[in-house]
Amino acid sequence: MSTPAPNPAQASRAAARRRGRYGAPALLLAPFMVLFTACTLVPIGYAVHLSLYTEHRSGLGFGGSETVFTGLGNYTRALGDAAFRAGFWNTAQYCLLYIPLMIGLSLLTALLLDSALARAKRFFQLALFLPHAVPGIIAALVWVYLYTPGISPVIDALGGAGAQVDVLGHPLSAVVNIAVWEWTGYNMVIFYAALQAIPREVLEAAVVDGAGPLRTALSVKIPLIRASITMVGLFTVIGSLQLFTEPMILHDVAPGVVSTWTPNMYAYSAAFERNDYGLAAASSVLLALAAAVLSFAVTRASRGRSRKEDAA
Amino acid sequence: MSKTAVNGALVLATVYTLLPLGWLVTASAKNTGDLLVGRTLTPERFHLGQNLHDLATTGDGIYFRWYLNSLLYAGLGAVLCAFVCVCAGYAFHVYRFPGKEQLFGLVLLGVLVPTTALALPMYLLASELHVVNTFWAVFVPSLVNPFGVYLARVFCAGYVPGEVLEAARMDGAGELRTFWSIGLKMVMPGFVTVFLFQFTAIWNNFFLPLVMLSDNRLFPVSLGLYAWNTQTHAFPEYYPLVVTGSLLAVLPLVIAFVVLQRHWKAGLTAGSVK
């Protein structure tokens, strides 16, 4: 500032402003950072700490227990447990089936809505989105009823048509269907919003070049909303690893869904059925690590692809 | 590709998404017997009133206690969470300070941590601090949403122009006053969006209450319905209670999403189109 001689009042106000420059942001950030530290960073640190210890019960288990450092012992125990590995295998199969199916359906419905031929767009968007308003546990409850022969109008109708369907005997498809139902509309809205943001000139240019609707969708629209597809992919991967509520409900009715069917259920049963906190903490940390690795892979893969296209 | 094919496919997808909700509506008007044999509904078999009455009286009306708990966890939790997120997002947008982008990066990393992988360590920590099975054990963690901070920053960038803040400062308003009377008002659409998403997340949350709570008077609706559902094998009369209770638990969110369409669409868009 080129004010010749600042009077004292102005100077002190300027000083207060300067203090405000750091004071105000610190004050505004503090509540979130405190909560974030307490509910995210500290639990992660505590889980890592706990995962390195194990409880040794003395003799008959009466003399109390002592906590012993075991290094990576809990991790090798978790990884050495066939049930834990089976949980990851179930999750992998679930991802391979669910992610392409759900993203494919969301993209398809978004492209259909985005086409000039669709009518009642607001109604369709809302109707497809509504499952998101249903808590996961209620979605699972309702679908279990709809899977149960005798109660379900769908299974009965199929049975009447001569098709005997045993959904509860196929836990993987049963869980995938619930997840597809819950998330397709939600992600469709994201894709639809991204499609609407594509500049009209680009689409007109494609039409002028003689591209039909299918060609425009595949070669113009989908590449242009790649950022959204990556983001949805990322959140879907993180969400898939957390799979718990739906299989937990199916656990009661489908014999194929054991209490350690997903890594998350394994951690839960380690903590609450076996009281093995070290093992529970180690499996939670492994789960978080798997999420980190997969997230990294998803972002890396999409970034690599876009860089290649930039170079071309 | 014809108009009929496009709209036909959309109708088919809509039938798939609405069918389970339609079933829920009709099922909640059936008594135990009709529900379990999948009998269709006729006027003389309409039991919704009876089911609601049972819901209000079973266990001294514990269901509506759960409902109030959920409203408290989700309503108050989402308001506070949205406020905390908007404060942080505003600070990230408006100010320059050392280490800012590193700090923001840390917050974004928080988005990637699976919340259920956190729930168990949080339980272990809470039991160390002797706060397990309290209101706070479920309430406090629900105030944190790193993605909300990201959304709030995006919204501030869109709704809070720097010149307006500069003008307020010229008029002698302090930094906090500028935020409170100008910034916060301008970013209200962002506040509502974060609120809506957090309300849904808390209302739907199941894992955290499941590990934290054992006193059923503290349960939210999701956990209460789960507890009832595990009893249906022994007591089939709980089936209509679970179904009718589920319908009531879905209603506030469905209504909120129908009424606030503009906001959740804005939120999803802000999150996706960078």
Side-chain angles (χ1 to χ4, degrees):
Chain A
M1 292 270 193
S2 57
T3 343
N7 65 40
Q10 257 175 352
S12 79
R13 202 180 302 153
R17 265 264 293 280
R18 238 173 288 122
R19 244 183 293 120
R21 281 282 141 93
Y22 290 121
L27 207 62
L28 288 170
L29 279 172
F32 178 78
M33 291 318 297
V34 168
L35 287 165
F36 183 64
T37 307
C39 299
T40 305
L41 301 179
V42 174
I44 292 176
Y46 189 63
V48 172
H49 167 81
L50 272 177
S51 69
L52 301 175
Y53 291 86
T54 190
E55 301 257 304
H56 268 290
R57 299 219 160 72
S58 56
L60 296 165
F62 290 116
S65 58
E66 51 171 347
T67 310
V68 186
F69 183 79
T70 97
L72 296 178
N74 288 319
Y75 291 93
T76 50
R77 265 202 308 145
L79 292 170
D81 189 343
F84 187 63
R85 292 199 307 268
F88 269 104
W89 174 233
N90 286 335
T91 308
Q93 287 176 295
Y94 166 84
C95 285
L96 285 176
L97 195 59
Y98 165 61
I99 296 180
L101 191 63
M102 189 277 287
I103 292 192
L105 277 175
S106 315
L107 259 179
L108 180 69
T109 42
L111 286 166
L112 288 177
L113 263 185
D114 188 57
S115 79
L117 301 168
R119 341 200 62 203
K121 296 185 183 201
R122 281 173 57 119
F123 166 76
F124 281 129
Q125 272 190 80
L126 186 63
L128 293 171
F129 182 82
L130 271 191
H132 181 67
V134 179
I137 184 136
I138 293 177
L141 286 172
V142 169
W143 275 106
V144 164
Y145 287 111
L146 289 177
Y147 290 158
T148 308
I151 301 181
S152 166
V154 181
I155 301 284
D156 289 354
L158 288 172
Q164 295 299 328
V165 190
D166 174 24
V167 190
L168 291 174
H170 298 88
L172 193 66
S173 8
V175 177
V176 165
N177 174 57
I178 301 175
V180 165
W181 183 77
E182 286 180 279
W183 289 101
T184 298
Y186 181 90
N187 292 314
M188 176 277 292
V189 174
I190 295 180
F191 292 147
Y192 179 64
L195 286 171
Q196 297 270 295
I198 296 175
R200 284 194 55 86
E201 308 88 74
V202 176
L203 299 176
E204 275 161 16
V207 173
V208 170
D209 286 351
L214 193 63
R215 186 72 202 270
T216 313
L218 291 178
S219 317
V220 182
K221 289 182 175 177
I222 291 180
L224 279 175
I225 63 165
R226 201 182 40 230
S228 302
I229 300 175
T230 307
M231 200 197 70
V232 165
L234 193 65
F235 282 113
T236 308
V237 163
I238 298 169
S240 300
L241 285 171
Q242 308 194 45
L243 199 58
F244 180 82
T245 308
E246 294 82 359
M248 194 72 174
I249 298 295
L250 281 165
H251 172 54
D252 290 337
V253 287
V257 183
V258 291
S259 67
T260 55
W261 202 73
T262 68
N264 220 341
M265 290 169 79
Y266 180 90
Y268 178 79
S269 88
F272 295 100
E273 284 165 21
R274 287 183 267 171
N275 289 319
D276 193 339
Y277 289 172
L279 186 65
S283 35
S284 284
V285 171
L286 285 170
L287 185 63
L289 275 179
V293 169
L294 277 177
S295 310
F296 183 74
V298 170
T299 37
R300 188 60 188 274
S302 69
R303 202 177 294 159
R305 201 181 314 142
S306 69
R307 200 168 296 148
K308 236 179 282 159
E309 275 166 26
D310 287 346
Chain B
M1 214 167 38
S2 73
K3 193 177 247 177
T4 333
V6 168
N7 291 293
L10 287 169
V11 167
L12 215 60
T14 309
V15 168
Y16 170 63
T17 54
L18 293 186
L19 178 85
L21 293 172
W23 180 85
L24 189 61
V25 171
T26 53
S28 58
K30 293 180 183 176
N31 65 14
T32 313
D34 287 351
L35 184 63
L36 293 183
V37 298
R39 198 169 286 153
T40 46
L41 206 58
T42 52
E44 66 266 31
R45 294 180 173 277
F46 189 80
H47 282 270
L48 182 61
Q50 183 61 39
N51 287 342
L52 287 173
H53 176 259
D54 293 345
L55 202 57
T57 50
T58 304
D60 288 330
I62 189 97
Y63 176 82
F64 287 98
R65 186 175 169 119
W66 295 337
Y67 211 90
L68 288 178
N69 288 343
S70 271
L71 282 175
L72 190 64
Y73 287 125
L76 191 62
V79 166
L80 287 178
C81 173
F83 183 68
V84 164
C85 287
V86 166
C87 286
Y90 177 88
F92 277 122
H93 169 64
V94 172
Y95 299 102
R96 256 180 291 167
F97 52 88
K100 175 168 116 164
E101 291 311 322
Q102 285 84 339
L103 196 62
F104 192 64
L106 183 71
V107 173
L108 285 189
L109 271 183
V111 174
L112 301 181
V113 183
T115 47
T116 51
L118 277 176
L120 212 51
M122 244 187 280
Y123 163 78
L124 301 173
L125 195 63
S127 69
E128 194 74 17
L129 300 169
H130 303 291
V131 291
V132 165
N133 202 22
T134 62
F135 170 81
W136 304 106
V138 173
F139 185 73
V140 173
S142 69
L143 302 178
V144 183
N145 181 355
F147 192 66
V149 174
Y150 169 79
L151 272 186
R153 186 181 183 174
V154 172
F155 269 105
C156 284
Y159 288 102
V160 186
E163 305 88 67
V164 179
L165 299 181
E166 210 39 60
R169 289 190 189 115
M170 287 301 180
D171 289 346
E175 291 300 323
L176 291 181
R177 202 196 143 95
T178 309
F179 165 69
W180 185 255
S181 8
I182 298 176
L184 190 57
K185 292 217 172 86
M186 295 178 112
V187 78
M188 239 352 169
F191 182 94
V192 176
T193 306
V194 177
F195 169 83
L196 190 60
F197 280 95
Q198 193 66 6
F199 187 90
T200 315
I202 303 176
W203 189 272
N204 294 354
N205 197 355
F206 169 65
F207 194 63
L208 187 69
L210 176 70
V211 299
M212 288 290 188
L213 302 176
S214 50
D215 178 357
N216 70 358
R217 283 171 306 155
L218 293 174
F219 282 8
V221 165
S222 59
L223 190 54
L225 289 173
Y226 174 72
W228 273 358
N229 187 56
T230 54
Q231 304 207 22
T232 48
H233 293 299
F235 306 101
E237 62 270 25
Y238 274 97
Y239 277 117
L241 292 178
V242 171
V243 169
T244 314
S246 296
L247 179 66
L248 289 194
V250 166
L251 281 182
L253 292 180
V254 169
I255 292 169
F257 278 113
V258 171
V259 174
L260 298 171
Q261 270 198 69
R262 204 160 47 87
H263 287 285
W264 51 261
K265 279 186 199 159
L268 286 172
T269 320
S272 66
V273 197
K274 274 197 271 199

